[in-house]
Each structure stands twice: as C-alpha cells, then as structure tokens.
Amino acid sequence: MDYDTADLAEYTDSLILTKDSRHEDWDTLAFQTKAGDQFARAQIRYVGSGATGNHGDDQRIIPSQGFTFSNMLLPPGR
C-alpha cells in the first residue's frame, strides 16, 4: 500500500499487527511431519516471510528488507 495515495486510516490499520490479523500456516512446515506427526507445527508470520518459502501472496505480512519476525505454534503435548 502506498502511503502517498492511501486513506490514512486504512494505511495505519495496514501497519498494525494483532493476533486476530495473523494466520496459522500449517502447510509451510508440513514437510517436517515426514519425520513424524509429533513434528507438526504452524508458522505465524508478522514481518517478512522467513526462509520457509515464497509467501508474497500473503497480504497480512508487512514487507521487510532482510528482517523476519514470525513464531511457531506447536500443538499441545508435542
């Protein structure tokens, strides 16, 4: 989104990261389950896409230049 032409409120909202605006991506790390179901986990991306693939179509990510912030969600008991 280009801040020069965007509505200020819409642009500001696009820069705020909340838990509700994130997505648990179970597919990105699904390859780890080849070693066993106990290795299932989801990636939750905030800034940048990390080293787990090309996520350029994920509009929830705030683009970065060389910095990534994401976390993993591990199912209970694993």
Side-chain angles (χ1 to χ4, degrees):
M1 180 176 298
D2 186 7
Y3 73 91
D4 288 334
T5 58
D7 173 72
L8 181 59
E10 183 180 339
Y11 179 70
T12 302
D13 286 345
S14 76
L15 299 175
I16 297 173
L17 302 172
T18 64
K19 181 180 181 228
D20 293 335
S21 68
R22 302 299 92 201
H23 172 71
E24 298 169 5
D25 185 348
W26 291 91
D27 295 328
T28 294
L29 301 170
F31 68 91
Q32 294 179 344
T33 60
K34 290 180 183 178
D37 288 339
Q38 71 269 27
F39 297 106
R41 62 202 70 223
Q43 182 184 47
I44 304 169
R45 294 179 290 278
Y46 296 90
V47 178
S49 61
T52 57
N54 180 4
H55 303 288
D57 59 339
D58 187 344
Q59 298 301 311
R60 292 174 294 266
I61 298 172
I62 291 181
S64 69
Q65 294 184 12
F67 174 80
T68 296
F69 174 67
S70 65
N71 61 4
M72 300 298 152
L73 175 65
L74 288 91
R78 301 216 176 150

